């Protein structure tokens, strides 16, 4: 089904690079920061009288809480970046210029000859796009979609200042990276998106077996030119991690080609898992940072979090009004860990529970209880986030917080090469770990087991951490001078004496 097509209405541009460019003059004027906040803010209808409605209706109304969007400073920042991408991306693609006709002809020629799309414009792209990376539920996609909705997606041109100009302009196109991360799937999603907008049949045309990947890539480039795509947004870019070897590089190189050959900026959205892909190649990292990286961490428990909480707190559907307090704010933060998606759902669920039970009120304890009872699937992840440095990056890489300082270091673990799937090894017990440690110091397996068992039996503190047990067992071993002890650290392939001492597993003197 085709979307709404807007007839072009041209503005007068003042910048020399933008003047007399129908693609730029047809889109709205840039928004000031204050106007951007107002445009991005989403406030569903609400009335205090709603709290007097029957319980069944009020449970339906709680769904409005999920629709609330409170823009922050970073959303306004992304707004400006996207706006610059669209305008400067069109700067060298003026349909009235000879270069535009040459690029369109090059795309047609390449698609006919099964060649490759080459650079013919004689210009250097003004913008490369950028990447938005952040944990799941932080609001990346919601923010971008809210921003894009302020631009008419499809504009119909018929005449520009008395000059016949018959064409369509797709100011933006957003698609999700396919689940398997394949480039062919990405191309097909692109064709389907255009079909939905323009009522075309590109997806059917390129779904046959004769449509090779090379032909699909050339067609995708050509259609970006012929339909004047302003910016291409690729969401869920971390799905490339699931692609076969070599595919992520091919996909990213194709994005570089789109920028270099036709000047279409590419914006990539993903979780921290995508860091390993984007950093593999400097060429792509440079183009992914053309407007500066947008690295979204979890919201801190500060004035921004309070502003967000107050925005959703207005929407109460329990008969008893629950005042907003610092305790409520902190409790919601503890359970949501600074993730808006989790916060709005916890707040929604606690109200539904209060209405259904007939209690018609809720407290800080209820926020903790509901998040534990009704958001059990996210509990391990939320507990991992609370643990800070103890978070298992391999297990929770999509939700772990990160900052610019650890942009490369903390997430290098995601760049590890995939190994064949094997059954997970059996987890070693504390006793076994301590025995292996002592064997690394030269004790035989029997000796190590004897002293470890003795140390565990004599322990009165109840602390059964492997390093502690290993240290106590080794002290027991050293306390028997009549025995001939091997020189520590000579066991092949195991940790040496000095390394264990630095790690705190053994001490220089026996107390």
């Amino acid at each position: 089904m085709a979307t709404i097509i807007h007839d072009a209405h041209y503005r007068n541009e003042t910048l020399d690079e933008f003047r007399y460019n129908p693609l730029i003059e047809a889109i709205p004027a840039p928004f000031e920061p204050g106007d951007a906040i107002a445009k991005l803010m989403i406030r569903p209808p609400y009335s205090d009288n709603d709290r007097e409605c029957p319980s069944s209706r009020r449970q339906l109304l709680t769904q409005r809480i999920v629709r609330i969007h409170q823009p922050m400073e970073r959303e306004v920042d992304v707004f400006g970046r996207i706006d610059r991408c669209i305008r400067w991306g069109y700067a060298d693609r003026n349909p009235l210029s000879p270069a535009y006709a040459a690029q369109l002809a090059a795309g047609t020629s390449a698609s006919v000859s099964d060649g490759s799309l080459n650079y013919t414009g004689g210009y250097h792209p003004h913008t490369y796009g950028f990447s938005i990376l952040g944990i799941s539920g932080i609001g990346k996609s919601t923010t971008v979609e809210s921003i894009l909705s302020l631009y008419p997606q499809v504009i119909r041109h018929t005449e520009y200042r008395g000059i016949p100009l018959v064409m369509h302009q797709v100011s933006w196109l957003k698609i999700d990276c396919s689940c398997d991360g394949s480039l062919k799937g990405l191309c097909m999603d692109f064709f389907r998106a255009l079909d939905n907008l323009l009522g075309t049949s590109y997806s059917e045309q390129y779904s046959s077996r004769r449509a090779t990947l090379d032909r699909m890539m050339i067609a995708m480039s050509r259609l970006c030119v012929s339909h004047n795509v302003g910016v291409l947004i690729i969401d869920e870019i971390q799905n490339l991690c699931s692609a076969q070897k070599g595919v992520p590089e091919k996909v990213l190189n194709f994005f570089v080609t789109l920028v270099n050959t036709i000047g279409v900026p590419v914006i990539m959205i993903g979780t921290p898992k995508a860091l390993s892909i984007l950093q593999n190649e400097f060429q792509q990292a440079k183009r992914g940072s053309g407007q500066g990286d947008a690295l979204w961490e979890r919201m801190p428990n500060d004035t921004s979090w309070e502003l967000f909480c107050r925005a959703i707190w207005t929407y109460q559907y329990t008969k008893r009004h629950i005042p907003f307090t610092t305790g409520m704010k902190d409790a919601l933060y503890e359970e949501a860990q600074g993730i808006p998606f989790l916060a709005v759902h916890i707040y929604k669920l606690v109200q539904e529970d209060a209405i259904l039970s007939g209690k018609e009120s809720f407290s800080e304890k209820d926020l903790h209880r509901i998040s534990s009872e009704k958001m059990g699937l996210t509990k391990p992840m939320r507990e991992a986030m609370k643990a800070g440095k103890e978070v298992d990056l391999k297990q929770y890489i999509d939700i772990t917080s990160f900052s610019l300082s650890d942009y490369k270091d903390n997430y290098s673990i995601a760049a590890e090469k995939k190994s064949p799937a094997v059954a997970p090894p059996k987890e070693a017990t504390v006793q076994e770990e301590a025995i292996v440690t002592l064997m690394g110091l030269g004790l035989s397996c029997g000796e190590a087991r004897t002293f470890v068992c003795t140390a565990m039996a004599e322990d009165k503190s109840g602390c059964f951490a492997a390093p502690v047990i290993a240290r106590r067992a080794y002290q027991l071993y050293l306390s028997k001078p009549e025995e001939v002890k091997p020189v520590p650290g000579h066991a092949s392939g195991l940790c040496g004496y000095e390394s264990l001492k630095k790690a705190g597993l053994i001490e220089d003197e026996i107390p």
Side-chain angles (χ1 to χ4, degrees), residues 324-343:
F324 178 78
T325 64
T326 301
M328 287 290 192
K329 172 182 72 74
D330 293 341
L332 193 57
Y333 187 86
E334 181 180 351
E335 296 302 333
Q337 284 296 297
I339 302 178
F341 176 85
L342 294 179

Side-chain angles (χ1 to χ4, degrees), residues 128-131 266 268 283-293:
Y128 293 115
F130 62 99
S131 302
V266 178
M268 291 173 284
Q283 184 183 38
Q284 179 57 34
K286 181 181 72 173
R287 283 155 177 78
S289 304
Q291 292 287 338
D293 293 316

Side-chain angles (χ1 to χ4, degrees), residues 2 6-7 16 34 49 127 148-149 158 310 388 451 459:
H6 304 263
D7 290 325
D16 291 340
N49 295 331
T127 184
L148 295 175
S149 68
T158 55
R310 287 185 179 278
F451 288 110
D459 181 79

Side-chain angles (χ1 to χ4, degrees), residues 436-450:
V436 170
T437 300
L438 263 64
M439 290 175 64
L441 296 175
L443 279 70
S444 67
C445 181
E447 289 175 324
R449 186 175 297 277
T450 298

Side-chain angles (χ1 to χ4, degrees), residues 17-249:
E17 294 89 344
F18 297 168
R19 188 179 292 127
Y20 304 128
N21 186 328
L23 299 178
I24 298 178
E25 293 184 357
I27 58 179
F31 294 96
E32 293 297 324
D35 296 333
I37 293 177
K39 291 288 185 180
L40 292 178
M41 188 178 295
I42 299 176
R43 291 290 186 272
Y46 177 79
S47 171
D48 282 339
N49 295 331
D50 292 337
R51 292 165 43 210
E52 302 301 324
C53 294
S55 60
S56 59
R57 179 175 175 81
R58 285 184 286 130
Q59 289 189 65
L60 287 174
L61 291 174
T62 58
Q63 191 64 30
R64 287 178 174 174
I65 300 172
V66 181
R67 299 174 53 203
I68 300 171
H69 182 65
Q70 174 62 49
M72 301 295 175
E73 182 179 351
R74 61 189 180 191
E75 278 91 338
V76 178
D77 173 55
V78 169
F79 196 157
R81 299 188 197 196
I82 291 177
D83 188 77
R84 291 191 293 273
C85 281
I86 295 176
R87 296 180 197 280
W88 284 104
Y90 279 138
D92 285 311
R93 297 161 58 197
N94 192 329
L96 303 179
S97 68
Y100 178 91
Q103 187 62 63
L104 191 62
T108 304
S109 176
S111 63
V112 173
S113 62
D114 287 338
S116 60
L117 194 62
N118 298 314
Y119 176 80
T120 61
Y123 63 87
H124 186 78
H126 277 98
T127 184
Y128 293 115
F130 62 99
S131 302
I132 306 175
L133 302 178
I135 60 177
S136 298
I138 203 69
K140 306 179 299 295
S141 300
T142 301
T143 296
V144 171
E145 288 169 1
S146 298
I147 294 170
L148 295 175
S149 68
L150 301 178
Y151 298 87
Q153 189 172 12
V154 182
I155 303 173
R156 177 169 48 212
H157 298 261
T158 55
E159 181 181 295
Y160 175 76
R161 299 181 185 273
I163 302 173
L165 186 67
V166 180
M167 64 180 189
H168 284 97
Q169 172 185 355
V170 178
S171 59
W172 58 268
L173 194 65
K174 181 179 179 292
I175 58 178
D176 290 344
C177 185
S178 56
C179 295
D180 60 359
S182 69
L183 183 51
K184 192 168 186 177
L186 184 69
C187 291
M188 288 303 300
D189 288 339
F190 174 86
F191 297 143
R192 294 189 194 99
L194 278 183
D195 290 344
N196 291 334
L197 290 176
L198 306 174
T200 52
S201 57
Y202 297 123
S203 58
E204 181 180 351
Q205 179 181 349
Y206 291 99
S207 62
S208 65
R209 295 183 178 180
R210 296 179 58 187
T212 63
L213 179 58
D214 289 339
R215 286 191 61 193
M216 294 172 72
M217 292 169 62
I218 293 172
M220 185 172 171
S221 301
R222 177 176 58 83
L223 293 175
C224 280
V225 175
S226 60
H227 292 302
N228 302 290
V229 176
V231 64
L232 183 62
I233 300 96
I234 311 296
D235 204 349
E236 308 294 349
I237 195 69
Q238 73 277 359
N239 287 344
L240 288 178
C241 292
S242 304
Q244 298 178 354
K245 184 177 179 180
V247 172
E249 292 79 6

